[in-house]
Amino acid sequence: NAADFTFTNNTVSNNGSYGITGYGVTNAAITDNTIQDNGYAGIYLDGSTGVLIQRNTVQNHSQYGIYLSSSTATISDNNQILNNGQYGIYATASTLSITGNTISDHTTAAIYLDHDTRLGSTVSGNTLSGNALDDVLIGGTISADVTWSGTYLVASITVAADVTLTIQPGTVVKFAQGGSISISGTLSAVGTAALPIYFTSLKDDTVGGDTNGDGAATIPERGNWGYLQFAAGSSDSVLDNVVVRYG
């Protein structure tokens, strides 16, 4: 644990689980470092606040470039986050500003944020390339009423009890392999004949564009994703003018 901690112009490599680990850190600056070839992740933060991560090279880890849980952080100013297994950045229960970084060559997605983290965070101006998904993949639990409109890329999400997920006409929800929505509360998905709501595969380029960025290299098929599941305690859900395919 540390407060007002500065870590700058260092090289961290070939360590066991993590390059840099912070538990309960406050007001830390991690800047201008090379963090590479460690085990599980380059930077791991848990329960930390006011962390500034800038101009680092974070590369060649087995699972994540930067992993955050229950933390607030600014990840900005041209961090190079490269070839770190599944995700460049992975965060849950956090509030983040992710701007102006290069995130490349990850096997699942450039960024994963749980739903509530995505709602409370800023993600803009990043260069994403060579990832299996050059975008933000969301998952986790929806813990307060929310409305979706546009295109959403989903791993697995749960709508908590007494919570309503409202999906607007024309919205496209695309699922990663094995992805799902489990509803313990309420799902209101009411489209129109002209603007149906789609639940479909990331490989489905006919709605929402070429989300996985591979042109015609992959095509959607049954079994690409999991399911919509309504738990015993769910209530008042409505699906109207909805298209469900490739699950």
Side-chain angles (χ1 to χ4, degrees):
N1 295 358
D4 299 317
F5 171 73
T6 299
F7 192 88
T8 188
N9 293 313
N10 302 293
T11 298
V12 182
S13 64
N14 295 294
N15 296 290
S17 295
Y18 312 109
I20 298 171
T21 306
Y23 295 94
V25 171
T26 59
N27 300 323
I30 302 171
T31 61
D32 301 292
N33 302 287
T34 298
I35 306 162
Q36 63 185 18
D37 299 308
N38 301 288
Y40 189 70
I43 299 171
Y44 181 101
L45 298 174
D46 189 358
S48 298
T49 58
V51 180
L52 182 66
I53 301 172
Q54 292 184 325
R55 298 181 304 279
N56 301 282
T57 296
V58 183
Q59 63 185 3
N60 302 336
H61 301 94
S62 66
Q63 297 294 320
Y64 312 109
I66 302 172
Y67 183 104
L68 307 101
S69 176
S70 302
S71 297
T72 63
T74 297
I75 304 170
S76 66
D77 197 9
N78 201 32
N79 291 288
Q80 301 290 306
I81 305 170
L82 315 171
N83 189 35
N84 296 288
Q86 293 186 55
Y87 299 97
I89 298 171
Y90 186 102
T92 62
S94 298
T95 301
L96 308 174
S97 176
I98 304 172
T99 60
N101 306 286
T102 296
I103 306 174
S104 300
D105 300 325
H106 299 93
T107 60
T108 303
I111 301 169
Y112 172 94
L113 305 177
D114 73 351
H115 185 270
D116 291 351
T117 296
R118 183 68 186 95
L119 279 182
S121 297
T122 298
V123 182
S124 65
N126 300 288
T127 299
L128 311 179
S129 66
N131 305 285
L133 180 62
D134 288 325
D135 213 317
V136 180
L137 189 65
I138 61 172
T141 298
I142 300 175
S143 60
D145 292 352
V146 68
T147 298
W148 286 5
S149 178
T151 300
Y152 291 79
L153 314 180
V154 175
S156 292
I157 277 184
T158 297
V159 180
D162 302 317
V163 170
T164 298
L165 168 60
T166 301
I167 301 180
Q168 297 280 20
T171 297
V172 177
V173 182
K174 293 190 174 185
F175 292 92
Q177 185 70 40
S180 64
I181 299 179
S182 298
I183 300 98
S184 295
T186 300
L187 173 62
S188 177
V190 179
T192 67
L195 292 172
I197 294 165
Y198 289 88
F199 296 95
T200 188
S201 166
L202 276 175
K203 298 177 182 179
D204 186 353
D205 298 345
T206 65
V207 290
D210 182 13
T211 309
N212 60 354
D214 68 350
T218 57
I219 59 173
E221 58 187 9
R222 65 181 65 185
N224 277 170
W225 58 280
Y227 49 79
L228 305 177
Q229 181 181 66
F230 295 86
S234 64
S235 62
D236 301 321
S237 291
V238 179
L239 281 74
D240 187 350
N241 280 293
V242 166
V243 178
V244 181
R245 62 193 185 198
Y246 305 123

